[in-house]
Amino acid sequence: MTNVLEIKKLSKSFGDLKVLDAIDLTVSKGSTVVIIGASGSGKSTLLRCVNFMEIPSAGQIVLQGDLIGSGTGESMSYSDSELAKMRARVGMVFQHFNLFPHMTVKQNVMEGPRTVLKCNTAECERRADRYLEKVGLGWKADAYPSHLSGGQQQRVAIARALAMEPEVMLFDEATSALDPELVGEVLQTMKELADDGMTMLIVTHELGFAYTVADRVLFLSEGKILEQGDPEAVLINPKQEATKNFLRGHGSFRLPEPNLD
Amino acid sequence: MEYNWDFGAVWTYRGLLWTGLQNTIILAVVCLVLGLFFGLFVGAARYSTRPILNYPATAFVELFRNTPVLIQIMWFFFAFPIISPFQVDAFTAATLGLVLNTTAFSSEIFRAGIQSIAKGQWEAAKALGMTYMQQMKRVILPQAIRRMVPAFMNRAVELVKMTSLASVIAYGELMHQAKSIAAISFNPIEMYTAVAIFYFLLIFPFAILVRRLEIKFQPGS
Ligand SMILES: Nc1ncnc2c1ncn2[C@@H]1O[C@H](COP(=O)(O)OP(=O)(O)OP(=O)(O)O)[C@@H](O)[C@H]1O
Ligand SMILES: [Mg+2]
């Protein structure tokens, strides 16, 4: 299997605070990798370094075989235009959706193809229709984001990212800002993407979702990958004490499986 | 006290007053357009974190916001020609003073407007692969300018009023014309009453429009 994304010895510090410490990670085509970890462990920072929303302090990012930036791992340099081109190849979904409020749903989805990829109008429309349909919101094309529920807004944000036809998608706690009853529809959309073979790197606190959808789960602690493996190994039979503690915290209030018959 | 109001001179000198009104409008429009244009750049420099842009822009803004426009106009008319090789006529001096003042104020409106846009908007635009200029043009400014419109309209109203200051250096706008007519026809009371009404008629509809837009552009609507 080919690797879509290779992260090599990635480190990131904010001043004296070392947030990521020599992370190595490869994501193969079509796989879904879920990152879990306590608050402040560096999950967001890791995702944000992948598409250079934060500039790594050291290390390399390789996207489909292309090394981003120039230099050795210790001192890379990046040009603005190179980073912009790179980001266009990576989709990102944010906790707070960040839809453009002055554009309709459809315009939101067309914006990337139009402004960044310079697609013609017909192509932009084709993509908008296609990806809005995919997230089940074709019927909201002409609405403004403020008229949508949180769950719908997040699905539009997913469509907006998909319209760039990215090589990998990043999700940073895509459901954390949602009312509980709206979480399901967004997770469902993400699951469908995974089933379609999209390559995804997902930060989430939804362990049930991670268990069902992930090919691989990483437990991040103090800027390092402390434990990784398939969902069974990490979420059910963790080996590290820190992972066990984290899972204990998340499991304290779990209900038994509901009887739906 | 008995006073016989006589507005006859207003009609007699209507040609002069009409010229004055035109000059007032020309001066206001020129200064508004230039002030907004330069204000965008000074505002962007103020917004920048790079000292080489930020410091001079901040110094400029503080200087022109914190001195009276009257002094600025007089300074450009009387002092500027002495320290520079340029001849400065009344229109130019008034324009310089008013443009720089409007630039200073509108740059603050631009800066505050841009700063009022949530960080997530920049991030979303950036994550799509937009360059800084694209982020600004497609995502930030269209939202920010909406919020700025009422503040700019207020500036425009202020600017129309401030043009009357150009009368001190004998630029032939409405106020100066009134002063001249009052001097030859000995009726300052009627003349100043008349121009007060003219200014009001010029500005009031605009002020109503501002009020409407403020309601329309309220955040969240
Ligand atoms: N721009 C920044 N400047 C300074 N410190 C930062 C910055 N971004 C993140 N940090 C710090 O880096 C650490 C890791 O933050 P990060 O957001 O990656 O954690 P996280 O695992 O995503 O946490 P959460 O689950 O709360 O979202 C935190 O201590 C945070 O305060
Ligand atoms: Mg986070």
Side-chain angles (χ1 to χ4, degrees), chain A residues 130-195:
Chain A
R130 170 154 184 216
Y131 292 107
L132 280 175
E133 215 48 64
K134 183 162 203 93
V135 301
L137 286 172
W139 58 291
K140 285 289 189 187
D142 296 323
Y144 280 88
S146 57
H147 295 216
L148 268 52
S149 74
Q152 291 171 334
Q153 289 189 47
Q154 190 60 296
R155 282 149 64 201
V156 173
I158 292 172
R160 177 176 66 179
L162 289 176
M164 298 294 287
E165 305 194 334
E167 293 155 36
V168 54
M169 287 278 286
L170 311 174
F171 294 83
D172 190 1
E173 299 199 27
T175 59
S176 293
L178 296 174
D179 291 340
E181 74 271 20
L182 302 176
V183 168
E185 61 185 79
V186 173
L187 293 181
Q188 185 57 35
T189 302
M190 290 165 66
K191 181 173 187 313
E192 284 164 20
L193 282 182
D195 293 343

Side-chain angles (χ1 to χ4, degrees), chain A residues 97-137:
Chain A
F97 335 134
N98 302 343
L99 291 179
F100 306 133
H102 57 302
M103 300 180 189
T104 63
V105 161
K106 185 162 181 177
Q107 288 166 342
N108 264 277
V109 180
M110 288 169 63
E111 185 55 29
R114 167 179 289 165
T115 301
V116 178
L117 304 179
K118 315 277 185 218
C119 294
N120 62 35
T121 306
E123 172 64 10
C124 291
E125 299 228 358
R126 190 190 67 75
R127 289 189 184 205
D129 293 341
R130 170 154 184 216
Y131 292 107
L132 280 175
E133 215 48 64
K134 183 162 203 93
V135 301
L137 286 172

Side-chain angles (χ1 to χ4, degrees), chain A residues 24-43:
Chain A
D24 282 303
L25 172 63
T26 57
V27 182
S28 59
K29 191 167 170 56
S31 70
T32 301
V33 175
V34 169
I35 302 165
I36 59 172
S39 180
S41 56
K43 306 180 297 294

Side-chain angles (χ1 to χ4, degrees), chain B residues 76-77 87-95 169:
Chain B
F76 279 111
F77 192 63
Q87 280 301 314
V88 178
D89 62 15
F91 178 76
T92 313
T95 304
I169 54 169

Side-chain angles (χ1 to χ4, degrees), chain B residues 48-71:
Chain B
S48 167
T49 49
R50 289 159 65 181
I52 188 169
L53 293 173
N54 184 296
Y55 288 9
T58 304
F60 169 87
V61 169
E62 293 306 336
L63 179 63
F64 283 94
R65 279 207 313 175
N66 298 308
T67 46
V69 185
L70 181 59
I71 311 284

